[in-house]
Amino acid sequence: MSYLDNIRTFVRVYELGSMSAAGRDLRISPAVTSARISQLEDYLGVRLFQRTTRNLTATEQGQVFYSGAVTVLDAVDQAEAKVMHLTDAPRGTLFVAAPLGLGRRLVAPAVPEFLASYPEINLRLRLSDRAVDLTTEGLDLAFFLGQPEDSTLRIRKIADCRRVLVAAPEYIARCGMPKDGAALIREGHNCLNLRYPGASEFQWRLQTPEGPQRFAVSGRYECDDGDVLTDWALAGEGIALKPVFEVAPHLEAGRLVPVATATPPVPVQMACLYTHRRHQDPKTRLFMDFMTERMARAMRQTETGAEDPGA
């Protein structure tokens, strides 16, 4: 397995452009990462990377070897998948990403039940509201809200995610209750925005009598963590656009109230993103099947409770 480990290490170094990043991704030390690359270069009799104190770039030989190495690893993964189908014993490590709010409330709570059913599977869950790249980050799948930019990836829809504009009663008492999206702008309401490096959504898309429209709202508060926006809204600092499942307990308790209800936010899809190759892996497919059912059920229950606090 040492030669195959060396190839896997080479592929991650190539994709991430860094020995240290590849080591962290593979959970091996920088020394082991460097040693594996050196062993591979010695075996092949070529330099795969040009190294300087600041940069690491693939040589021409490295670029050629990468395409073949990926093909080899794909073939090994597919062969392992076929064997696991026959033995009915999925194993290995799953690398999964999800937005913070969705991951904390819908994904993470269901993970223990899944792992209890499959004791030979390990899971690495990465939570972030930024966009992720499945290939360069070595992910098996990623949950998301909205529409992915990469059209080459596969999408499995889980549900339409209803959203709501919310504010604390304290904010409404101080600044007034906006009727619709136009009032948010006209009355100068402080809108709390979710923004992160590379984010393309700088407007709120709301449903109007004329159809969906974008409103260029503004405010003094921005953050790349959706839960921070909820905290600011609870503190009476402004209006936040949130998935209903994230703020349902606060709506039920009256800590937050819906605002601009004449123009509610357009729902977004909740879905799972994966590559065609990853779907061949039994553990990836099992996890998607399991989480899709659990997440859809949990979201339905949460949204029903938000609509009917007495339920």
Side-chain angles (χ1 to χ4, degrees):
M1 289 295 289
S2 60
Y3 183 64
L4 190 59
D5 288 339
N6 291 348
I7 293 178
R8 290 191 187 279
T9 302
F10 163 77
V11 167
R12 294 310 289 149
V13 171
Y14 185 99
E15 293 174 342
L16 297 176
S18 165
M19 292 273 191
S20 58
R24 288 192 298 271
D25 183 72
L26 295 167
R27 287 171 173 72
I28 57 178
S29 69
V32 171
T33 304
S34 179
R36 288 183 179 179
I37 298 301
S38 295
Q39 290 171 10
L40 192 57
E41 289 178 329
D42 290 343
Y43 179 81
L44 296 172
V46 298
R47 296 281 287 182
L48 298 172
F49 295 105
Q50 293 289 353
R51 304 170 179 83
T52 68
T53 55
R54 294 188 175 183
N55 296 311
L56 183 145
T57 56
T59 63
E60 181 180 357
Q61 293 89 340
Q63 295 173 22
V64 171
F65 187 70
Y66 172 76
S67 61
V70 171
T71 301
V72 168
L73 294 180
D74 284 349
V76 171
D77 289 343
Q78 290 179 23
E80 289 180 346
K82 290 178 180 178
V83 170
M84 284 186 277
H85 271 303
L86 294 174
T87 61
D88 195 30
R91 60 181 175 79
T93 300
L94 276 168
F95 293 88
V96 180
L100 288 164
L102 189 155
R104 288 168 177 162
R105 292 169 180 82
L106 299 182
V107 179
V111 166
E113 181 183 351
F114 175 80
L115 294 184
S117 300
Y118 301 99
E120 294 191 52
I121 295 179
N122 303 313
L123 186 131
R124 306 288 183 263
L125 180 61
R126 303 171 182 173
L127 302 184
S128 174
D129 280 328
R130 66 172 177 81
V132 298
D133 186 309
L134 270 72
T135 300
T136 61
E137 298 184 45
L139 296 168
D140 293 297
L141 56 95
F143 297 100
F144 70 97
L145 295 171
Q147 186 65 37
E149 296 181 0
D150 191 341
S151 60
T152 66
L153 298 172
R154 303 295 182 91
I155 298 175
R156 178 168 177 174
K157 184 175 179 180
I158 298 173
D160 286 321
C161 180
R162 195 162 59 85
R163 301 185 294 171
V164 63
L165 294 173
V166 296
E170 173 190 345
Y171 177 86
I172 300 302
R174 186 175 71 251
C175 302
M177 170 67 82
K179 175 185 176 183
D180 52 25
L184 294 175
I185 299 171
R186 183 178 63 252
E187 298 169 7
H189 283 279
N190 194 38
C191 296
L192 310 172
N193 288 304
L194 177 68
R195 296 188 184 176
Y196 48 86
S200 58
E201 183 66 46
F202 293 101
Q203 298 174 326
W204 286 356
R205 191 162 178 258
L206 308 179
Q207 184 66 54
T208 75
E210 293 75 34
Q213 292 185 15
R214 295 185 180 275
F215 291 82
V217 299
S218 61
R220 300 172 58 203
Y221 292 70
E222 292 182 5
C223 187
D224 61 356
D225 183 333
D227 280 352
V228 171
L229 301 185
T230 301
D231 291 341
W232 284 338
L234 288 166
E237 298 300 328
I239 297 172
L241 189 161
K242 303 293 299 181
V244 170
F245 72 83
E246 286 192 19
V247 294
H250 303 304
L251 291 170
E252 294 170 28
R255 293 185 293 269
L256 293 174
V257 296
V259 303
T261 54
T263 54
V266 175
V268 295
Q269 72 168 335
M270 177 187 292
C272 185
L273 200 63
Y274 61 97
T275 65
H276 174 72
R277 180 172 65 87
R278 297 293 190 185
H279 191 253
Q280 307 310 307
D281 185 344
K283 66 179 181 295
T284 302
R285 189 171 59 256
L286 283 169
F287 187 70
M288 276 198 293
D289 291 345
F290 177 88
M291 293 304 301
T292 296
E293 191 277 330
R294 295 300 190 283
M295 291 168 65
R297 184 205 310 165
M299 194 170 67
R300 286 194 302 269
Q301 293 172 345
T302 300
E303 292 190 350
T304 300
E307 291 172 356
D308 181 8

